[in-house]
Amino acid sequence: MKIVKFGGSSIADLDSIQNVLSIIKNASQKEELAVVFSAFGGVTENLLMCAHLARQNDPDYQPLLRGMEKRHLQLVKQLIPVQKQSSVLTYVKIRFNELEDLYHGIFLIKEFSPRTSDYVVSFGERISAFILSEALKEVDLDTHFVDARDLIRTNDRFGNAKVIFPTTNQLIYDFYSKNKGLLVITGFVASTNKGETTTLGRSGSDYTAAIFAAALKADSLEIWTDVTGVMTADPKLVYSAITIPQLSYSEAMELSHFGAKVVFPATMQPAMKRKVPIYIKNTFHPEVEGTLICESSENTKLIKGISSLSHISLLNVQGSGLVEVVGVSSRVFGTLAQAQINVVLISQASSEHSICIAIKSDDADLAREVLEKEFQYEILAGEMDKVQIMPNMAVIAVVGENMKHHPGASGRLFQALGRNNINVSAIAQGSSELNISAVIKQSDLQKGLNALHEAFFLSDNKVLHVFLIGVGLIGKTLIKMIHSQLAKLQEDNMLDIKIHGLANSRFMAFDEDGFDLSTLPVPSEKDLPMNLQVFLNTMNSMNFSNSVLVDCTASQEVADTYQRVLESKVAIVTPNKRANSGTLEKYKSLKKLSDQRNIKFFYETNVAAGLPVINTLHDLILSGDRVIRIEGVLSGSMNYIFSELSKGTPFSKVVAQAKEKGYTEPDPRDDLSGMDVARKILILGREAEQELHFDDVSVQSMVPEDCANIESVEAFLQKLEEHDGHFKQLLEEADQKNEKLRFMAVLENGKATVGLKSVASNHPFYSLVGSDNMILFTTERYHEFPMIIRGPGAGADVTAAGVFADIIRLGNYSR
């Protein structure tokens, strides 16, 4: 025999109900069934709402009650043939007439006791089960409507009554012996020996099903709901949560204690005692296996699930006078018990100097009050500190019986949290090694859950969650690169990249599941207007582990947010030079913050696009080398301009060509001014551990004075034609000396110069062509022959490739 239970979400509307009737009919053809029903979806809440309105003398309860009655009568008419509706409609009308009288009484006396509450909410299950019992007859099933109040006996603790199992089991067994066929049972409700209606508390209909399963020694218990079983984590907080195929009773109990909502401890107790296996099934996907909960489970994973409790406060009871004092713990927990405050977690130092207690935040003030009253003399004597409260905390727990057989679970937990800069305020682990619990900040909960889920369930693949600002040439190229390489990264590097946020100068868009990169998503009018603060707030509210802000702009406004981003524990990858070329103090503070928080700030593309310049410089410094001199052709656009100039093309035409090819900024004066090169040499100097300010960089601009303030780019290029002769003369002078013009930067002795120089044929820069960059590092080790780095230094492709490489490096680091 099998007991099946359907919750309110499974019977919320006509389509859902017809689906349930089909499931029951199919199952009944294979084995004997008994069915437990909750109230129709939302009815219990509405019954209570009516009662609260009536108690407040608010007549608005009446239309709400009439709406419920209409809904139930409509379902009868939809499920039962016209010629058979009369008796069912009469039953429903009588029940609602009773409810109307009840609410009127509450309205008059303005009282709503727990006893009355139980009686009021019992109508939901009594009406739904009766209607569905009659509907099942229409699919050729011999049904018997069972009011569980006739069979389940409890004490008179209204709202959460305790079952009297000897009496209940006998009544159920005797009834079943005399009534064969399909039993249709009201969930949630029971009665005292005096016949008073009681309810079984949270998840009461599940409990009803477990009581019947245990009493009848059923082969199995199926709980049908709107999810595909017990999940590895809360799917509302963890996007990649998956169904757990099998759990032991103990594992399910632990998960439910720490917030798993699918099944509750009370439900399992009767079934657990009789060793009745419990199946959690999805009403809307009946073909899915769901979760099996039984005496022992197959263990393939180190842990089975991750659960959490929100809105927790930590109480710290500490003092030197508590050390080696017998009875302190007894007084602490006895006092809390007397105040009816439930303890969620306990962590005590081996020195006995402090006891850390996690409780629900709603109980925090009362807990402090009663504890300080209990220990008032110790506090006055200075033997104990006042009770400290840490609010806005959460408990995160990993659960699995397999942890006791494999070392390293706690190490993986703390490593995953640590890599995401999540601080653990308290920990607890029992000797059974079934559960490891940690208390963290509430604001870190979603990130912590995702970090642990990836560590324990997706450990083969690391997921980076990207938020991209700047979807211009570089940004679009980066998206294409990620899309084209995604499968290879997943297979070869075990790295997955999801882009959740996109922004350009006008619009922004978000996708919690990650954008489909094959469509090259670009924010447009259909999306949100761009607001940088809203973008960052949304990124933080998504609270993904391994999040990274990718800034592909040249915006000072975006660069000014880097400190906030790092403080939010989000990594940064950027070609934007504004932050690192700002004040020396700002540069140092960002580096220090990145190091202290262990949040990566990668900016290889600040200099020479995708060339490995900054990383090479870091390696030299880390290995103990010292930089003496840095020379660099650091602008691909400027090198292109002066390379093409040597071919005889006028300067103004070459600049226009460079702009058309995308080598320069939209306004070429940004490149010709030399400020971009100045920022790059400034950054290299700082990376070489030199205290370099912008005032230490001398810059020669290639923008003629009479061209600097012309408004339009077109007008600037026309005016620039007047200076073609000057640049032609510079070229001829260099040719006469068999030299070539190079716009370059030189850093030496704490000073840097940026400008146009003529280099001889024996200089490495002489051979440069096109948009190539070249950097020479003269160091103590590379003194006679400087280290040379050369390659393309301009263009969206190479810059995007460098950004992509930094993202991959970040993913590899985050493992």
Side-chain angles (χ1 to χ4, degrees), residues 524-588:
S524 61
E525 290 85 353
K526 70 180 187 303
D527 298 308
L528 301 169
M530 175 54 178
N531 182 301
L532 182 58
Q533 299 308 313
V534 173
F535 185 93
L536 297 180
N537 290 339
T538 305
M539 175 181 72
N540 290 336
S541 67
M542 287 188 179
N543 209 13
F544 289 117
S545 61
N546 302 317
S547 291
V548 53
L549 174 71
V550 178
D551 173 17
C552 286
T553 74
S555 164
Q556 184 66 54
E557 183 187 9
V558 178
D560 287 341
T561 68
Y562 286 2
Q563 181 163 345
R564 173 187 168 185
V565 172
L566 292 173
E567 287 174 345
S568 301
K569 304 170 186 176
V570 174
I572 298 173
V573 170
T574 182
N576 187 346
K577 295 176 281 292
R578 298 283 180 172
N580 287 328
S581 61
T583 66
L584 181 61
E585 293 73 18
K586 186 68 173 178
Y587 166 82
K588 285 184 173 180

Side-chain angles (χ1 to χ4, degrees), residues 174-221:
D174 291 345
F175 178 86
Y176 179 71
S177 300
K178 299 172 185 176
N179 295 273
K180 299 298 181 183
L182 178 63
L183 304 184
V184 180
I185 307 162
T186 58
F188 188 45
V189 297
S191 68
T192 67
N193 287 325
K194 297 179 181 179
E196 299 165 307
T197 297
T198 57
T199 58
L200 301 176
R202 187 173 65 166
S203 192
S205 292
D206 291 354
Y207 194 20
T208 301
I211 291 167
F212 272 80
L216 297 175
K217 298 180 181 178
D219 296 320
S220 64
L221 164 61

